[in-house]
Amino acid sequence: MYPYRYFLMLKRLIKKKSYIIMLLMLPLFVVFLNMIAAIDSSALRVGVVADEENEIAAQLLADDGNIKYLSYADEEEAKRAVESELITEAWIFDDDITGTFEKFAKNEKLNPPVTQVIAEENMIHMLLREVLSSKLYAGFSKEIYKDYMQKSFDLSKEKAKQAYVESLVAVENYSLSQPLFQMGYIDGAKEQSDSFVLMPLRGILGLLLFLCAVSTSMYYLEDEECGIFIWWKSRVGFLRDFLYYFIAIVLPSLLVLACLKCGGVFTSLGRELILLFLYDVAVVLFSMILRKLFPSVKKISTLIPILILLSAVLTPVFVDIKAAGVLRNFVPLYYYLYGVHDIFWVQNLAKYITIEMFMLLIVHIFDSKVIKKNR
């Protein structure tokens, strides 16, 4: 198979500016994300306006989780911060929030305990509304419990009153030594990174690898137009073409492994190598089919942004859109992302590759018949 020819081809690729740019995009992107994550890992910022005696607000401001809570002196200052996009939204607590909880427990008319100030309605604010409700739940449940105890038992009796006081103290002092809920994967692995910034890293690297594979189709067509393959005969044309693509994607793949490690989303070497190898084969075969169907540099260059955009939307790179349905089954990145922690999707990726090989064979046979007919 003349291995030196593939080595020479790799040398030619390294001299191409577009190929070097794609290679540099991978580490530069990871460095950029790590810099952002190091500056502030809180992608969500919530302004809090409340009295100093407000226990719920004090707990929020002391929280060092993924949501960063910032204290504001008054409502107007918090609204200006929302308008200038310094914070995602603002929570304005009622001055008498304890009284609000008591009214709720007695089914009396009450004002909203917290006013949520937002710039526009979107999914992030719906999520934060659920977070806010979970924070207020403790106050509501405590007052409901107190009201129930007062109505159900005669607290004028000493024993009943003492039991009531002891139960309230127990509720106040109750705490969990560990989180009640913890994120995990189907294979038992724990979450690699707790930064919102680094969460889409694997998906974006997969998109860049897909970009490298599809771009190789343009390099192939340029070489074909220059007549390189006239002097590069092979008994198995498919194998020559496959290795042409695969050599071009080896360096980006090695960089992807390094980037996953630096980004803190690396699992294990064996798992990453197997999954990345299958993904490489899948994107190479996808690109070969694309070149057969659209044998034009101009057409492929037009299709590249469309394919990248569709891959980002149909797969859980940023958001898992279930409405995508069966359309996501045509995207190799879909199997790669789900296969990280589930062997089922690795097996599906292998099946996807088998289907690709069958499709490539059909396209090749059809293409050969067209060439013979034109002759």
Side-chain angles (χ1 to χ4, degrees):
M1 291 298 295
Y2 303 105
Y4 71 91
R5 290 184 176 177
Y6 297 103
F7 176 72
L8 291 174
M9 189 208 76
L10 183 60
K11 286 182 65 177
R12 288 177 64 252
L13 279 175
I14 294 174
K15 294 178 180 179
K16 290 181 180 289
K17 292 180 181 179
S18 57
Y19 187 75
I20 294 298
I21 290 172
M22 285 190 291
L23 288 179
L24 291 175
M25 283 172 64
L26 295 166
L28 289 176
F29 180 76
V30 176
V31 170
F32 177 71
L33 284 186
N34 278 324
M35 287 175 61
I36 296 176
I39 294 170
D40 189 359
S41 61
S42 302
L44 302 177
R45 294 167 174 262
V46 176
V48 177
V49 179
D51 294 335
E52 294 181 358
E53 299 177 356
N54 192 313
E55 295 180 2
I56 296 176
Q59 291 174 2
L60 291 175
L61 294 172
D63 188 4
D64 58 351
N66 289 320
I67 302 175
K68 188 169 185 179
Y69 299 96
L70 304 172
S71 178
Y72 284 87
D74 53 54
E75 185 176 343
E76 292 302 320
E77 184 184 359
K79 287 182 178 179
R80 287 196 297 270
V82 173
E83 291 172 358
S84 58
E85 298 183 353
L86 294 174
I87 55 177
T88 310
E89 64 178 60
W91 294 348
I92 316 297
F93 282 80
D94 186 38
D95 293 335
D96 185 20
I97 193 167
T98 303
T100 302
F101 292 152
E102 292 174 354
K103 290 180 181 179
F104 179 84
K106 297 175 182 178
N107 289 324
E108 296 179 3
K109 187 177 180 180
L110 52 88
N111 295 322
V114 180
T115 301
Q116 193 179 19
V117 180
I118 62 176
E120 59 179 351
E121 185 71 28
N122 56 39
M123 189 170 62
I124 295 296
H125 297 299
M126 293 172 66
L127 169 65
L128 289 174
R129 191 176 299 137
E130 295 298 321
V131 173
L132 175 60
S133 299
S134 69
K135 302 297 182 183
L136 296 175
Y137 173 77
F140 283 119
S141 61
K142 180 181 174 182
E143 292 303 323
I144 291 172
Y145 172 74
K146 288 170 65 176
D147 185 68
Y148 169 78
M149 292 291 289
Q150 290 169 358
K151 290 179 179 178
S152 302
F153 300 95
D154 185 4
L155 297 182
S156 60
K157 295 181 179 180
E158 189 64 29
K159 288 186 177 180
K161 185 177 181 180
Q162 184 180 354
Y164 171 66
V165 172
E166 289 177 354
S167 64
L168 287 181
V169 172
V171 170
E172 290 287 347
N173 296 331
Y174 180 77
S175 62
L176 295 171
S177 57
Q178 294 181 350
L180 188 59
F181 299 100
Q182 186 173 5
M183 179 179 170
Y185 296 97
I186 196 169
D187 61 349
K190 295 182 179 180
E191 185 181 12
Q192 286 96 20
S193 175
D194 59 353
S195 173
F196 280 103
V197 179
L198 294 172
M199 281 183 178
L201 176 60
R202 183 182 294 273
I204 295 173
L205 290 175
L207 285 174
L208 292 175
L209 206 54
F210 179 59
L211 173 63
C212 291
V214 177
S215 299
T216 305
S217 293
M218 295 192 292
Y219 301 147
Y220 183 97
L221 292 171
E222 289 173 355
D223 287 343
E224 189 177 46
E225 189 176 346
C226 292
I228 288 178
F229 297 114
I230 295 175
W231 309 104
W232 189 358
K233 299 293 182 180
S234 174
R235 293 180 181 179
V236 186
F238 164 79
L239 187 58
R240 181 200 64 189
D241 293 355
F242 179 82
L243 290 175
Y244 180 99
Y245 278 83
F246 205 78
I247 289 295
I249 209 172
V250 164
L251 284 180
S253 298
L254 293 175
L255 284 173
V256 165
L257 285 174
C259 292
L260 291 174
K261 187 69 176 178
C262 295
V265 294
F266 194 84
T267 55
S268 65
L269 183 60
R271 178 182 297 179
E272 294 290 354
L273 284 174
I274 293 171
L275 186 60
L276 189 59
F277 173 76
L278 290 174
Y279 180 64
D280 284 349
V281 174
V283 295
V284 164
L285 292 175
F286 186 97
S287 302
M288 290 174 68
I289 295 170
L290 187 71
R291 191 197 78 240
K292 289 282 187 181
L293 295 175
F294 304 96
S296 166
V297 173
K298 186 177 180 180
K299 289 179 181 178
I300 292 178
S301 61
T302 305
L303 286 171
I304 283 177
I306 299 173
L307 291 171
I308 295 296
L309 180 61
L310 285 175
S311 297
V313 172
L314 296 176
T315 59
V317 175
F318 301 102
V319 180
D320 190 3
I321 303 175
K322 299 297 183 183
V326 295
L327 291 175
R328 57 173 62 183
N329 294 328
F330 296 96
V331 183
L333 184 60
Y334 171 62
Y335 303 95
Y336 173 67
L337 294 179
Y338 273 103
V340 178
H341 296 286
D342 193 348
I343 190 66
F344 172 78
W345 293 101
V346 178
Q347 294 169 350
N348 281 349
L349 180 56
K351 294 176 183 177
Y352 179 85
I353 291 170
T354 305
I355 295 171
E356 281 185 315
M357 293 179 70
F358 182 71
M359 290 179 61
L360 188 61
L361 179 63
I362 294 174
V363 173
H364 178 72
I365 293 172
F366 179 79
D367 193 33
S368 299
K369 287 183 178 181
V370 171
I371 293 172
K372 287 180 179 179
K373 187 176 180 181
N374 291 337
R375 286 178 179 175

